[in-house]
């Protein structure tokens, strides 16, 4: 009898201990979520610093990076009223060249540090955005590729773990480009764990699979880590935002001066710019679908609802219009409508980009 009572006492003690641990874990998670929401307030109005430490035509030399965006640009960004910069960083120059004891390219990293520290000194928060080319992201199809990216993030997060966790954020991967959302969920969880191990106090920025669209966000299962902000990108409708661009469907290159918002009467002549009937149909869908401020607001509301349901903060850290062939007034209209919708839903933003062909 005493033996059975002793077993019961041990069992009750184990149950009590497990309950206490679960309660403590829930409290810790809630605290982490509160931290993420508080820090998201540093990411209300941002700009992307692109084609500097990423996207350049393979030239990451000091001669180029020192002059492409400099201290005067960073000071101007702060004076214009932005509160954060999303700093695109290519993975390849981090991993190649003369490596330091931390396994990262010492020269490239020193220049990157100077950029980050200059932004922080000017009162700007910084999104450390790992932004490799598509060819690099394709390695995630293999376990060796996932291992490689995990090692890189562990090193990069450890390096920046000494920077202010209130204003330095780690974005896991720009537009993962993975059609298999379940595989990406597992990879993202692993990369987040590596970052968290190296930088326990910092806030992580996560995204859905493929192109980080609102649809990708809505299909995402939030990470178990509570100190995470979730991002999405917005370039809809591409018939307007990417008019004249040469890196998408060929028919984009024919389009010029497409208005926003559009009506049948304003689009009648513009549709004729596209010589092929099937592609003309694609452009016609732009005005047939009634793209305007109301539609954009409804889409942002969908993202916001997902954030509320999952109790996580959101940011739209890319949106913009290819400016080479867009009507300036229409471009300003679209940017205004997107920004206004985001702000109405309490979602921070970062426009693409500072000085390239979507430039501010």
């Amino acid at each position: 009898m005493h033996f059975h009572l002793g077993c019961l006492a041990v069992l009750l003690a184990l149950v009590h201990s497990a309950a206490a641990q679960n309660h403590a874990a829930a409290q810790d998670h809630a605290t982490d979520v509160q931290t993420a929401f508080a820090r998201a307030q540093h990411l209300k109005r941002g700009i992307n610093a692109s084609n500097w430490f990423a996207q350049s035509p393979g030239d990451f030399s000091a001669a180029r990076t020192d002059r492409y965006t400099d201290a005067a640009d960073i000071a101007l960004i702060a004076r214009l009223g932005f509160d954060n910069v999303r700093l695109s960083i290519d993975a390849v120059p981090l991993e190649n060249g003369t490596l330091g004891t931390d396994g990262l390219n010492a020269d490239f990293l020193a220049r990157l540090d100077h950029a980050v520290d200059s932004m922080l000194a000017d009162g700007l928060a910084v999104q450390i955005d790992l932004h490799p080319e598509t060819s690099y992201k394709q390695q995630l199809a293999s376990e060796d590729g996932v291992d490689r990216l995990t090692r890189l993030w562990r090193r990069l997060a450890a390096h920046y773990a000494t920077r202010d966790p209130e204003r330095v954020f780690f974005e896991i991967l720009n537009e993962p480009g993975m059609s298999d959302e379940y595989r990406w969920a597992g990879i993202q969880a692993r990369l987040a764990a590596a970052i968290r191990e190296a930088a326990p106090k910092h806030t992580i920025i996560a995204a859905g699979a493929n192109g980080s669209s609102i649809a990708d966000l809505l299909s995402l299962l939030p990470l178990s880590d509570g100190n995470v902000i979730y991002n999405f990108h917005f370039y809809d409708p591409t018939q307007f935002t990417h008019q004249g661009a040469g890196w998408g469907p060929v028919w984009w290159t024919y389009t010029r001066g497409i208005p926003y918002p559009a009506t049948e009467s304003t689009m009648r002549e513009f549709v004729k710019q596209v010589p092929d009937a099937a592609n003309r149909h694609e452009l016609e869908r732009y005005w047939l679908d009634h793209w305007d401020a109301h539609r954009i607001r409804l889409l942002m509301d969908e993202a916001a609802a997902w954030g509320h349901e999952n109790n996580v903060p959101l940011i739209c850290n890319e949106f913009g219009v290819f400016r080479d062939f867009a009507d300036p007034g229409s471009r300003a209209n679209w940017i205004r409508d997107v920004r206004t919708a985001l702000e109405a839903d309490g979602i921070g933003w970062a426009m693409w980009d500072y000085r390239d062909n979507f430039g501010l």
Side-chain angles (χ1 to χ4, degrees):
M1 184 67 176
H2 290 298
F3 174 78
H4 291 302
L5 288 174
C7 289
L8 181 60
V10 170
L11 181 60
L12 289 173
L14 289 173
V15 169
H16 178 75
S17 175
Q21 289 175 357
N22 289 337
H23 180 68
Q27 285 185 316
D28 289 344
H29 186 270
T31 299
D32 287 343
V33 170
Q34 288 179 342
T35 297
F37 270 104
R39 290 179 179 168
Q41 299 306 303
H42 296 300
L43 305 178
K44 285 187 173 182
R45 302 174 303 276
I47 193 75
N48 279 265
S50 65
N51 276 68
W52 188 12
F53 291 97
Q55 301 102 18
S56 80
D59 182 4
F60 297 110
S61 65
R64 182 181 184 278
T65 61
D66 287 350
R67 71 174 185 269
Y68 187 78
T69 303
D70 58 21
D73 290 303
I74 295 169
L76 175 60
I77 287 170
R79 287 201 308 275
L80 288 171
F82 294 104
D83 60 14
N84 78 90
V85 175
R86 181 173 181 247
L87 180 59
S88 301
I89 304 167
D90 198 328
V92 171
L94 278 170
E95 296 178 326
N96 294 296
T98 303
L99 304 182
T101 55
D102 59 0
L104 299 172
N105 182 316
D107 174 65
F108 185 80
L109 194 60
R111 286 180 273 129
L112 203 56
D113 286 349
H114 179 71
V116 171
D117 292 336
S118 295
M119 293 171 188
L120 293 173
D122 278 327
L124 296 161
V126 183
Q127 299 178 54
I128 302 292
D129 160 38
L130 196 62
H131 203 117
E133 298 297 324
T134 300
S135 57
Y136 186 94
K137 290 184 283 188
Q138 288 171 344
Q139 71 175 327
L140 296 179
S142 72
E143 292 310 304
D144 286 344
V146 177
D147 290 344
R148 177 184 174 187
L149 188 56
T150 303
R151 286 193 300 271
L152 175 60
W153 252 126
R154 189 172 285 115
R155 291 165 177 163
L156 190 61
H159 180 80
Y160 284 112
T162 57
R163 302 307 197 280
D164 183 3
E166 289 291 325
R167 293 192 296 148
V168 173
F169 300 78
F170 298 129
E171 182 176 344
I172 294 174
L173 190 64
N174 173 72
E175 298 183 357
M178 298 191 70
S179 57
D180 186 342
E181 62 192 45
Y182 300 103
R183 178 168 176 78
W184 170 241
I187 292 171
Q188 179 155 251
R190 183 177 171 190
L191 295 172
I195 294 170
R196 179 61 65 229
E197 179 184 338
K201 297 180 180 180
H202 285 68
T203 300
I204 294 170
I205 299 176
N210 212 6
S212 299
S213 66
I214 291 178
D216 292 325
L217 176 75
L218 300 182
S219 64
L220 182 64
L221 182 66
L223 296 164
S224 58
D225 192 316
N227 192 6
V228 178
I229 297 170
Y230 292 82
N231 89 64
F232 63 93
H233 296 170
F234 190 80
Y235 291 102
D236 292 330
T238 53
Q239 296 101 318
F240 172 74
T241 64
H242 285 65
Q243 57 186 289
W247 60 88
V250 173
W251 69 267
W252 282 359
T253 62
Y254 296 113
T255 54
R256 305 281 193 277
I258 304 300
Y260 170 89
T263 63
E264 180 176 0
S265 60
T266 60
M267 285 297 295
R268 187 174 291 115
E269 292 302 315
F270 289 103
V271 169
K272 296 177 182 178
Q273 293 178 351
V274 182
D276 178 74
N279 292 330
R280 279 199 302 274
H281 172 68
E282 286 298 307
L283 182 55
E284 286 173 343
R285 286 177 56 188
Y286 163 53
W287 62 263
L288 288 170
D289 289 348
H290 300 291
W291 280 97
D292 57 15
H294 177 66
R295 176 164 182 168
I296 288 172
R297 175 63 192 273
L298 292 176
L299 292 172
M300 297 307 176
D301 287 350
E302 288 186 6
W306 182 89
H308 290 310
E309 289 166 6
N310 290 284
N311 191 32
V312 297
L314 300 180
I315 181 174
C316 175
N317 64 11
E318 276 194 32
F319 71 100
V321 179
F322 183 56
R323 66 179 177 176
D324 288 15
F325 305 103
D327 168 66
S330 290
R331 181 172 179 264
N333 290 340
W334 184 91
I335 291 170
R336 177 203 61 216
D337 287 350
V338 174
R339 179 185 59 76
T340 301
L342 290 167
E343 292 175 356
D345 280 324
I347 301 172
W349 52 261
M351 179 183 164
W352 187 273
D353 51 5
Y354 176 62
R355 62 171 305 168
D356 199 41
N357 51 19
F358 282 68
L360 178 67

